[in-house]
Amino acid sequence: GAEHSRHLILVLVVAARVLHWWYASDAQPSGPGPRRLRPPPLLRPCRDAAVPLPADKGLCPICRMPRVNATLAASGYVFCYRCIVGAVEVGGACPVTRMPLTMASLRKVYEH
């Protein structure tokens, strides 16, 4: 009687803890796997931007031609390599957002 009741209570406590552990581990991401990421902030051109954005997003905002050797500025906009290098050397800033830029902040965009 009493011994059987103690074993039953012990089994129920252990089962409750296992269930609690099981469902608590589902709520927390563990290890690599898909995670929900917030979208990046919207890019907004500066009101007094020296260069307005072209309607065709495939064109360089500076020369208004299809981009050659596409290069990403830290501001998030993509330019021709020669165009953005010239803008950084002369003004030190993104011509669309006026965000300060350096040569080290420019990145090649690999397109295929």
Side-chain angles (χ1 to χ4, degrees):
E3 187 69 25
H4 179 68
S5 295
R6 269 193 256 157
H7 286 304
L8 181 61
I9 290 173
L10 180 62
V11 167
L12 289 175
V13 168
V14 169
R17 290 199 177 244
V18 167
L19 287 173
H20 181 275
W21 170 80
W22 181 266
Y23 286 108
S25 66
D26 282 348
Q28 300 171 357
S30 60
R35 295 185 346 196
R36 288 189 87 116
L37 299 176
R38 291 185 300 150
L42 294 175
L43 296 174
R44 294 196 173 101
C46 182
R47 289 179 196 209
D48 62 341
V51 177
L53 292 175
D56 183 349
K57 293 182 180 185
L59 301 179
C60 171
I62 297 173
C63 70
R64 306 238 178 243
M65 300 293 290
R67 291 187 292 257
V68 176
N69 198 7
T71 302
L72 174 70
S75 61
Y77 288 96
V78 181
F79 304 88
C80 295
Y81 177 76
R82 286 186 182 195
C83 293
I84 192 61
V85 165
V88 170
E89 286 176 345
V90 171
C94 173
V96 176
T97 65
R98 302 279 190 210
M99 176 183 183
L101 297 175
T102 63
M103 293 299 293
S105 68
L106 302 179
R107 297 290 181 259
K108 166 113 176 93
V109 175
Y110 294 95
E111 300 174 303
H112 49 100

